[in-house]
Amino acid sequence: MVSEDLTIRFLEQLSSTGQLIMDRRLIKISQGDSFVLNYLYTHNCKAYPKEISDAMAVSTARVAKILGKLNSQGLILRKCDDKDNRKVIIVLTSKGIEKVAEFRKNAIKKLEVVLSALDEEEIEEFMRIRKKLNSALLENIDKFNK
């Protein structure tokens, strides 16, 4: 069992100014339009709306709104699924690929600056710990929703 003192110190670190700045800047790639574009980019440039909704943990109505905006900007296309005409699949356009590649490039540059404070072994350890914490969160998600 983790001590309350250690948990409080961890919480204070999470809410420190530097952490908040980094989280807010990096979170842009994991929200809204950017999330959808990045999700498609990392999933062979196509996905079903339901997959995107599940990955974002938001309603399908919210995803539909985002998809409408991205479609009007020419960044995605809605196509009938070849395997099941009743389903729509979302496909990233070449314009969408260019846009997501650009913001990923910018995010990587910014993150490299921060990660340069660590050596490769420390970065690997940090990612291992984050993965472990993410798994613990997902296993206990019902406790966080109360």
Side-chain angles (χ1 to χ4, degrees):
M1 189 70 169
V2 178
S3 73
E4 184 176 346
D5 179 57
L6 190 55
T7 303
I8 290 169
R9 287 179 28 219
F10 181 77
L11 184 61
E12 288 170 355
Q13 184 184 25
L14 284 177
S15 61
S16 72
T17 304
Q19 183 69 40
L20 289 173
I21 291 168
M22 186 172 90
D23 287 350
R24 284 187 185 130
R25 299 262 162 71
L26 294 176
I27 202 102
K28 288 179 182 177
I29 200 167
S30 64
Q31 289 184 328
D33 301 1
S34 298
F35 180 93
V36 173
L37 292 172
N38 193 55
Y39 185 86
L40 291 167
Y41 189 82
T42 58
H43 288 82
N44 204 25
C45 296
K46 60 185 177 189
Y48 295 101
K50 179 70 172 129
E51 289 176 70
I52 298 168
S53 171
D54 291 346
M56 289 181 80
V58 299
S59 71
T60 52
R62 173 75 180 117
V63 170
K65 187 174 182 177
I66 293 169
L67 294 176
K69 180 180 174 187
L70 295 174
N71 189 57
S72 69
Q73 295 173 346
L75 302 174
I76 62 158
L77 292 174
R78 291 180 168 113
K79 292 187 172 185
C80 287
D81 187 359
D82 294 337
K83 298 173 188 169
D84 185 347
N85 286 348
R86 297 169 295 171
K87 291 185 179 180
V88 172
I89 192 160
I90 308 303
V91 179
L92 203 54
T93 64
S94 57
K95 184 178 176 183
I97 291 169
E98 288 175 23
K99 181 163 178 97
V100 72
E102 184 63 30
F103 76 68
R104 284 175 60 92
K105 185 173 137 183
N106 290 334
I108 289 166
K109 280 183 187 176
K110 291 173 185 174
L111 193 52
E112 282 176 339
V113 171
V114 175
L115 290 177
S116 68
L118 305 173
D119 62 34
E120 284 191 29
E121 189 176 304
E122 290 169 324
I123 295 167
E124 291 290 342
E125 181 69 2
F126 176 73
M127 291 189 310
R128 184 191 68 76
I129 292 168
R130 290 242 1 201
K131 184 177 180 180
K132 195 170 184 177
L133 288 173
N134 287 340
S135 293
L137 173 63
L138 291 174
E139 289 170 13
N140 296 285
I141 196 73
D142 57 316
K143 294 176 185 171
F144 285 88
N145 291 331
K146 292 180 180 178

